[in-house]
Amino acid sequence: MNDPLHEEQESSEAVFDGRLLKVFRDGVRLPDGSAGVREYVKHPGAVVVIPVCEDGLLIFERQFRYPLGRAFLELPAGKIDAGEDILACARRELQEETGYEGEHWRHLGVMHPCIGYSDERIEIFLATGLTHVGHALDEGEFLEIVHMSLVAARAAVFDGRITDAKTITALFWAERELAVG
Amino acid sequence: MNDPLHEEQESSEAVFDGRLLKVFRDGVRLPDGSAGVREYVKHPGAVVVIPVCEDGLLIFERQFRYPLGRAFLELPAGKIDAGEDILACARRELQEETGYEGEHWRHLGVMHPCIGYSDERIEIFLATGLTHVGHALDEGEFLEIVHMSLVAARAAVFDGRITDAKTITALFWAERELAVG
């Protein structure tokens, strides 16, 4: 590690081991040699899917997000299971949450939603050739499906109806990918 | 709350009270009447700034992000202090992290970086009329300043050099705001 900004781990302690959240507190040596503390969440990683129907509409969800106490308009997404291939995860989450299977899949890139206090990465997929095959929501998962054009989604960002950063980041990619189609 | 997706709080417990992270575990009643558990971070909120120089270049930072063990290329950002006005916070963070003051400020919107397990919101500001007045980094804060055009930043998203979702979300706004200029 020759990066002059590098912080070196000196200790690590699991301070909360919940059902969803695993929180750690590490002692670190900062670039100037002084000691620091870093607290963060360890996350298994996730996928987000941009599902594009034949008529060009994208499939969004409205899902209640408890930490903020309201529903959000967002693209289908979900956590990667232990050992799960990321494309298999993307296929599974799309089907479980929206009831659609995609024939064609493309991995676009990766984003990091919360670099200040989480190691989560979100793998971004584009899915086309969609067929509706029915739902299989996880237990305790409730959501509504919303079809929206890319132009309407863009407008929804700028009028504040879409504020979820993973969704907006995926739309940044979608605008490039779908511009030529 | 007439939203059919609403989850009702039944209990709330602070499970970790760190320097940076405050973690809660709540018991909730789900839409079908069953019981659930929600774990999440309470966050004071943050700002991100799109600083645009007179030559059109944007000011980015390279900052080490310990949870992911490497430096990230990102726009200037920081947490809102207790009781602090969001514009005052944006001015303060820009100056502390980059050494620049902005003459003209515009609030563009808000994003939510991590709706699955954090209540964090990030307020998005555009700053122009920049003057360099010198640095005042927080103790234990180390970073490098990088000037980059919007076109170069866009390319850096698509080749994987920028993966920070708050930065890409802010660029989604910046492309609209700066398209006409």
Side-chain angles (χ1 to χ4, degrees), chain A residues 3 5-6 9 18-21 26 28 37 39 62 64 66-68 111-112 117-120 163 165 169, chain B residues 3 5-6 9 18-21 26 28 37 39 62 64 66-68 111-112 117-120 163 165 169:
Chain A
D3 191 327
L5 300 174
H6 183 72
Q9 183 185 67
R19 282 197 213 180
L20 167 68
L21 292 187
D26 290 10
V28 303
V37 172
E39 299 164 353
R62 219 172 64 84
F64 193 82
Y66 183 81
L68 287 143
M111 75 178 90
H112 295 93
Y117 55 92
S118 172
D119 71 350
E120 182 177 2
T163 62
T169 297
Chain B
D3 191 328
L5 300 174
H6 183 72
Q9 182 186 66
R19 283 196 213 179
L20 167 69
L21 292 186
D26 290 11
V28 304
V37 172
E39 298 165 352
R62 217 172 66 83
F64 193 83
Y66 183 81
L68 288 143
M111 76 178 89
H112 295 93
Y117 54 91
S118 171
D119 71 349
E120 181 178 2
T163 62
T169 296

Side-chain angles (χ1 to χ4, degrees), chain A residues 49-50 52 104-108 124-128 174 177-178:
Chain A
V49 181
I50 306 162
V52 188
H104 309 293
W105 287 83
R106 203 138 59 83
H107 181 246
L108 300 182
I124 310 165
F125 285 92
L126 185 77
T128 54
E177 295 303 314
L178 304 175

